[in-house]
Amino acid sequence: MKVLFFASLRDALGTAEVDVSLAQGTTAEALRAQLIADHPQWQTALSQPALLLAVNQQMADWQTPLNESDEIALFPPVTGG
């Protein structure tokens, strides 16, 4: 699955996207744990409590089951003004 990173999260991780292979039905939280296991230097950025998640361009929560064909987007909270 393709995982996209946006805004300050992209800057903190030093990349805009990664491809990850996980078992069908793996939760978004398990994906986050796998990303941290694969890239320990990302732990601080990916452990932000307010980190937002979208699956196939729809807001989702961290218990959402994922499919191999999903596009995952992670981004920090945004504010308008």
Side-chain angles (χ1 to χ4, degrees), residues 26-39:
T26 297
T27 65
E29 186 60 48
L31 167 64
R32 177 170 31 191
Q34 184 63 50
L35 289 169
I36 292 170
D38 291 347
H39 308 276

Side-chain angles (χ1 to χ4, degrees), residues 6 28 50-66 71-78:
F6 291 94
L51 195 64
L52 298 173
L53 163 76
V55 177
N56 299 322
Q57 300 181 6
Q58 298 291 318
M59 295 306 294
D61 65 44
W62 292 98
Q63 298 311 309
T64 300
L66 305 175
E71 179 185 81
I72 312 305
L74 300 176
F75 49 97
V78 294

Side-chain angles (χ1 to χ4, degrees), residues 5-16 39-48 51 76:
F5 306 109
F6 291 94
S8 62
L9 184 60
R10 177 184 59 223
D11 297 337
L13 301 181
T15 188
H39 308 276
Q41 69 276 20
W42 292 0
Q43 182 168 3
T44 299
L46 293 178
S47 297
Q48 297 175 53
L51 195 64

